[in-house]
Amino acid sequence: MTLLRRQYDFVRGTVVVLVWGGLRGGISIALALSLPETPFKAALLAATYAVVIFTIVVQGLTLGKVASRSLRASGPST
């Protein structure tokens, strides 16, 4: 974001919305799938999928509230 701020003007609160809406867990799932075959791999995969699905649901259902709070916190637009 620091590098992008040199080129673009961001409304205050943009970073909050980008971070809250952008976490999806694809890397976590890929890493869990790349684990070697061990007795714990199935449990780790299940836990990883559960956390990713939970975050998708929670973040998806609350993104509107986060965005509206971010916009209110940024004050009136100029």
Side-chain angles (χ1 to χ4, degrees):
M1 290 305 298
T2 303
L3 293 174
L4 292 175
R5 283 186 178 147
R6 294 180 183 176
Q7 188 173 359
Y8 301 103
D9 291 328
F10 290 107
V11 176
R12 186 172 172 223
T14 302
V15 175
V16 173
V17 174
L18 287 174
V19 169
W20 190 256
L23 302 176
R24 294 292 178 252
I27 293 173
S28 301
I29 293 172
L31 288 172
L33 287 170
S34 70
L35 291 171
E37 291 301 324
T38 67
F40 305 109
K41 183 175 181 176
L44 286 171
L45 275 171
T48 303
Y49 274 105
V51 169
V52 169
I53 289 170
F54 174 78
T55 59
I56 288 172
V57 170
V58 169
Q59 289 173 326
L61 292 174
T62 59
L63 185 58
K65 290 180 184 181
V66 170
S68 64
R69 282 187 184 178
S70 255
L71 288 174
R72 273 190 268 129
S74 68
S77 60
T78 56

